[in-house]
Amino acid sequence: MLFADGKLRASRPVDPDARAPGLPRAAADDGAHGLWTQVLEFLKSRINKEGYETWLAPTKGWAVSDDALEVSVPNGFFADWISQHYAANVREALVSISGRDLKLSFRARDATDAASLRRPSAVSPRPGGDNGARLHGRYTFSNFVVGENSRFATAAAHSVAERLGVAYNPLFLYGGVGLGKTHLLQAIGNHALTQNPRLKVHYVPAETLFLELIQAIEKNSRLEFKQRYRVLDLLLLDDVHYLVGKERLQEEVFHIFNHLNDAGSQVVFTSDRPPREIPTLEDRLVSRLGSGLVVDVQAPDLETRVAILKQKAALEDRELSHEVALYVAARIRASVRELEGCLVRILALASLTGRPITTALAEEATRGLVDVPTLPDGNAIVAATADAFGVTVADLRGPRRTKQLALARQVAMYLLRKTLSMSLKEVGYCLGGKDHTTVMYAVEKIDKLRITNLELDARILRLTAGINRG
Ligand code: ADP
Ligand code: MG
């Protein structure tokens, strides 16, 4: 610590918080405070506003000596970030203000927090310890929300993790971007390691494997490279579509796989498409990759997207109302990664402004992010229909079945299906959990009624126009 060396500047104003040498200080040093305030002034006009507000504004000068300045920051992240991104600017400021090249150091206000933040591995527990598996502790089965889209893939992954090399070998998971393949792949590793921490597990994206191979070729250490992979109990190879056009890598993967397979070790692959659809993949590799179980992971339906959002919010110790979750889930359909991105923005906006998480806030936070920006959401359609028929939203979603209510409900189902292209199941869900056959019947009925009942047709046209206007 800076103060322990007793080298604090003599010219510094008298410190009311004087203490015995070596004891931690309880308050900042006025000299340091003044100097740092000038540094901040200097930097304010030189770096972008957002960067300044985020990283520099929350800092304070803490202590200054002849050759060093200590700055107080909220936590270790700030220290790392400022050192990496603004070190040169700060130095320039210090030299121009004080005429000295002071050595900069940081003091985290939350010391314990800082220690853990600085070492990411400490906050992401690794079930198997740091054994080189390269697994992220967050990717577990318990953190994975299972929907119809992923039920089979999850079951297969789980059973592989329980019985390595026995159940399905290799297991090949494929699906679109951001649908949870990497999550499931790593969950297998994490689960296997909790069962047996001594297992040799290794997760590697095909791209990294490629770089390792190139390096091995350059360094003439191919044998070592091979050896590293051949001793594994479980190899998790992510994104094998990357093998396209890389014959040498395909060859290596083929040999590694054969070796592991002969030794009874488990291999799991992921890809954005099934083996036979990966162009230019050698036939023998295609047949190897597909020789075990090939399962797809599909996009989650509305109900699963809602559940994922709520779970992710809960992991952040925040609660998301059903209405807000539904609002976001109805707009972001393509990938769970995007869904996560939206949630992060919503939570950030709520915490930065201290506002409650409402649909309006969600709309503000996700503006410009959504798949179809002008897409009306399910809640709005249900509300507009209720309004047009003089019934309440609760009634529409509830079980009561008067003639008027039944018709209004069918129209709402029809509109959700036609204007938002929701699946039958999603429509049912949006209306309080009605069965998909009920929805199918409703859509067909309204389609027919529109031809004979002109008054109803006009009503629907008005509703549709209103919906599209937003
Ligand atoms: P992929 O590898 O298919 O591109 P990822 O596994 O990286 O997708 O998933 C993207 C993000 O979405 C990850 O943060 C992952 O934890 C999350 N995710 C995907 N599917 C689910 C799910 N069913 N439940 C919880 N989180 C999920
Ligand atoms: Mg992935």
Side-chain angles (χ1 to χ4, degrees):
M1 266 252 206
L2 259 179
F3 331 104
D5 61 18
K7 274 172 66 183
L8 290 171
R9 273 200 310 165
S11 60
R12 144 182 95 77
V14 177
D15 183 3
D17 181 45
R19 78 226 132 71
L23 285 183
R25 296 167 54 88
D29 164 335
D30 288 348
H33 179 75
L35 175 58
W36 188 246
T37 307
Q38 289 180 57
V39 169
L40 290 182
E41 271 309 311
F42 182 94
L43 294 175
K44 204 171 185 172
S45 55
R46 287 173 171 78
I47 60 183
N48 75 36
K49 185 162 181 287
E50 202 184 353
Y52 178 87
E53 292 298 331
T54 311
W55 300 106
L56 293 163
T59 61
K60 292 191 181 78
W62 188 261
V64 63
S65 69
D66 288 340
D67 53 6
L69 170 70
E70 190 177 37
V71 172
S72 144
V73 291
N75 59 49
F77 267 142
F78 280 75
D80 291 345
W81 189 274
I82 295 169
S83 310
Q84 280 166 24
H85 297 87
Y86 301 115
N89 306 71
V90 172
R91 198 156 164 231
E92 185 197 350
L94 278 172
V95 170
S96 90
I97 293 163
S98 71
R100 288 173 296 159
D101 191 7
L102 296 169
K103 186 171 172 305
L104 190 69
S105 65
F106 297 98
R107 165 189 223 278
R109 289 202 273 281
D110 182 345
T112 44
D113 188 26
S116 61
L117 282 170
R118 241 180 262 233
R119 274 177 279 111
S121 56
V123 281
S124 53
R126 296 187 180 194
D130 199 358
N131 64 358
R134 296 197 208 162
L135 295 173
H136 199 300
R138 188 166 68 92
Y139 293 137
T140 59
F141 284 116
S142 58
N143 282 349
F144 194 80
V145 177
V146 185
E148 283 312 318
N149 60 309
S150 59
R151 199 172 299 286
F152 187 30
T154 315
H158 196 264
S159 93
V160 161
E162 288 270 310
R163 289 174 299 142
L164 293 184
V166 181
Y168 310 106
N169 201 9
L171 174 64
F172 190 103
L173 300 170
Y174 74 91
V177 176
L179 296 183
K181 302 181 298 295
T182 299
H183 189 136
L184 277 179
L185 186 68
Q186 295 212 9
I188 296 175
N190 279 324
H191 187 83
L193 279 170
T194 42
Q195 310 268 88
N196 179 0
R198 283 196 302 277
L199 283 174
K200 290 200 190 64
V201 176
H202 192 70
Y203 162 84
V204 65
E207 189 177 353
T208 309
L209 191 73
F210 184 56
L211 295 175
E212 287 177 7
L213 174 65
I214 304 229
Q215 245 175 23
I217 295 170
E218 275 170 10
K219 287 193 194 155
N220 233 341
S221 58
R222 274 192 56 218
L223 210 61
E224 239 178 272
F225 167 82
K226 275 193 204 305
Q227 212 41 40
R228 200 160 58 233
Y229 283 94
R230 289 183 172 189
V231 295
L232 297 175
D233 299 303
L234 169 60
L235 171 62
L236 306 164
L237 183 53
D238 208 357
D239 294 330
V240 294
H241 50 267
Y242 184 80
L243 297 175
V244 169
K246 301 185 179 63
E247 278 81 26
R248 188 72 186 264
L249 183 62
Q250 291 185 22
E251 181 82 19
E252 269 332 306
V253 170
F254 181 75
H255 289 302
I256 292 172
F257 174 75
N258 280 347
H259 190 94
L260 291 176
N261 206 41
D262 289 347
S265 301
Q266 177 75 47
V267 183
V268 187
F269 299 106
T270 72
S271 163
D272 65 355
R273 65 203 92 168
R276 66 189 135 69
E277 285 174 26
I278 306 181
T280 78
L281 202 61
E282 273 188 69
D283 284 350
R284 56 182 186 155
L285 190 55
V286 170
S287 76
R288 277 304 192 186
L289 294 178
S291 63
L293 179 67
V294 178
V295 197
D296 67 333
V297 183
Q298 291 166 1
D301 57 18
L302 184 71
E303 193 175 345
T304 310
R305 296 200 298 277
V306 166
I308 291 174
L309 280 169
K310 287 186 172 177
Q311 187 238 39
K312 301 262 173 213
L315 283 177
E316 301 290 323
D317 278 329
R318 302 297 294 266
E319 206 184 324
L320 213 59
S321 73
H322 189 71
E323 197 192 354
V324 173
L326 199 58
Y327 174 87
V328 177
R331 287 167 148 70
I332 311 278
R333 298 140 178 254
S335 107
V336 180
R337 191 171 294 133
E338 281 177 42
L339 217 51
E340 274 184 349
C342 261
L343 182 67
V344 166
R345 290 175 68 126
I346 291 170
L347 297 183
L349 185 63
S351 88
L352 286 174
T353 58
R355 284 159 53 195
I357 306 176
T358 58
T359 310
L361 181 128
E363 198 261 328
E364 195 179 323
T366 58
R367 208 171 285 153
L369 272 187
V370 294
D371 288 352
V372 187
T374 53
L375 199 67
D377 73 312
N379 290 327
I381 291 181
V382 174
T385 314
D387 209 35
F389 283 81
V391 298
T392 67
V393 169
D395 268 342
L396 272 191
R397 290 191 163 136
R400 247 169 18 102
R401 289 188 49 88
T402 63
K403 202 167 168 214
Q404 174 75 346
L405 256 181
L407 181 65
R409 203 174 281 141
Q410 286 168 339
V411 168
M413 290 176 175
Y414 175 87
L415 288 170
L416 288 171
R417 178 103 173 116
K418 297 280 171 166
T419 56
L420 294 189
S421 316
M422 279 186 176
S423 72
L424 295 173
K425 205 171 156 221
E426 287 173 350
V427 172
Y429 181 71
C430 217
L431 280 162
K434 305 287 186 287
D435 191 72
H436 74 277
T437 50
T438 311
V439 177
M440 193 159 66
Y441 172 78
V443 175
E444 280 170 14
K445 184 178 156 194
I446 299 296
D447 250 338
K448 285 195 195 119
L449 264 182
R450 284 188 75 169
I451 301 170
T452 53
N453 184 337
L454 294 183
E455 193 209 339
L456 180 72
D457 187 47
R459 221 171 191 185
I460 290 175
L461 281 176
R462 275 198 302 277
L463 263 170
T464 316
I467 289 163
N468 288 333
R469 270 199 310 274

